[in-house]
Amino acid sequence: DTAVSQTPKYLVTQMGNDKSIKCEQNLGHDTMYWYKQDSKKFLKIMFSYNNKELIINETVPNRFSPKSPDKAHLNLHINSLELGDSAVYFCASLKEGGDEQFFGPGTRLTVL
Amino acid sequence: GQSLEQPSEVTAVEGAIVQINCTYQTSGFYGLSWYQQHDGGAPTFLSYNALDGLEETGRFSSFLSRSDSYGYLLLQELQMKDSASYFCAVKAGKSTFGDGTTLTVKP
């Protein structure tokens, strides 16, 4: 069973479009994250949710809107996509008091 | 804010030992983690140090000195499959990752 899953794995779209990426974890963890990894492999945190509540919102354009319908899911919606949004987006989860983040397989977003 | 520094690239030969250093500046420090990421893959957890000293897990060891705001990952008996990117990350309220060290293991 996959611990943290993301869909889709690849996403190719045109500038200006709106797209969503979904993340689900079956580990029973309370905290979930979205990270962006650019072409230089820098891994930057975007958002963190704990039990469906937003606790970290880094300096991310408001075109990015996370949503957590329940503590097992954290989705990322992106409006008006730009070329600079092209990257790999990783979802991760962490149990309460834990040290190990479990990462999903990533979603490679390409904006043309 | 938080900042971490680690070398961008390291090259070593099979069977050798390599050390990847990480220095950090942060407030409210809880611990230092290490993650491995192969090309095209996701980061996977290697180790976590909350206290000073060395933690050993098979061929990999991780060290932390809180007073020096410094840690390192030690990889022994290098294998080709160890070629990957290695990230240090501080746990301090939120997790911040370093920019990663690309390790290339040559035959």
Side-chain angles (χ1 to χ4, degrees):
Chain A
D1 277 347
T2 304
V4 182
S5 59
Q6 294 179 227
T7 53
K9 188 166 175 63
Y10 299 96
L11 187 52
V12 181
T13 188
Q14 300 285 334
M15 276 176 58
N17 284 349
D18 304 337
K19 290 293 178 186
S20 292
I21 307 172
K22 294 186 176 182
C23 177
E24 176 181 0
Q25 53 96 3
N26 63 6
L27 298 166
H29 290 173
D30 294 309
T31 303
M32 295 184 73
Y33 306 89
W34 277 112
Y35 288 89
K36 178 180 180 181
Q37 187 169 46
D38 61 21
S39 57
K40 293 184 179 178
K41 297 190 178 178
F42 298 154
L43 196 61
K44 301 298 181 193
I45 190 167
M46 301 174 70
F47 301 103
S48 172
Y49 269 72
N50 184 272
N51 273 319
K52 303 191 302 175
E53 292 202 13
L54 180 67
I55 56 173
I56 292 173
N57 181 351
E58 288 298 295
T59 308
V60 176
N62 58 15
R63 297 182 295 104
F64 290 79
S65 51
K67 278 200 178 152
S68 183
D70 55 62
K71 77 172 195 176
H73 295 84
L74 181 61
N75 304 323
L76 185 65
H77 187 76
I78 316 170
N79 288 326
S80 304
L81 278 156
E82 300 178 356
L83 293 177
D85 298 332
S86 294
V88 180
Y89 292 83
F90 286 101
C91 175
S93 74
L94 178 73
K95 74 175 182 181
E96 187 74 25
D99 307 314
E100 176 181 355
Q101 289 189 41
F102 290 79
F103 283 78
T107 296
R108 181 173 293 276
L109 171 66
T110 303
V111 183
L112 304 174
Chain B
Q2 299 173 340
S3 68
L4 298 95
E5 282 193 26
Q6 52 180 126
S8 58
E9 295 179 344
V10 172
T11 301
V13 296
E14 263 189 305
I17 299 172
V18 73
Q19 179 173 310
I20 300 173
N21 298 321
C22 176
T23 57
Y24 58 88
Q25 285 187 323
T26 185
S27 55
F29 177 83
Y30 293 118
L32 188 72
S33 301
W34 289 92
Y35 287 79
Q36 178 191 59
Q37 184 181 26
H38 286 101
D39 266 352
T44 56
F45 175 83
L46 290 176
S47 68
Y48 176 74
N49 293 66
L51 303 174
D52 286 359
L54 192 68
E55 296 274 348
E56 297 180 64
T57 310
R59 294 187 297 113
F60 293 2
S61 303
S62 57
F63 172 83
L64 176 66
S65 169
R66 295 173 69 112
S67 59
D68 295 323
S69 297
Y70 162 77
Y72 65 72
L73 180 69
L74 190 73
L75 299 88
Q76 303 184 73
E77 300 171 21
L78 280 173
Q79 302 175 9
M80 298 295 289
K81 67 178 181 180
D82 297 330
S83 292
S85 293
Y86 293 84
F87 295 88
C88 58
V90 291
K91 184 178 180 182
K94 66 175 183 179
S95 287
T96 300
F97 282 73
D99 290 342
T101 298
T102 300
L103 170 63
T104 303
V105 180
K106 296 188 173 180

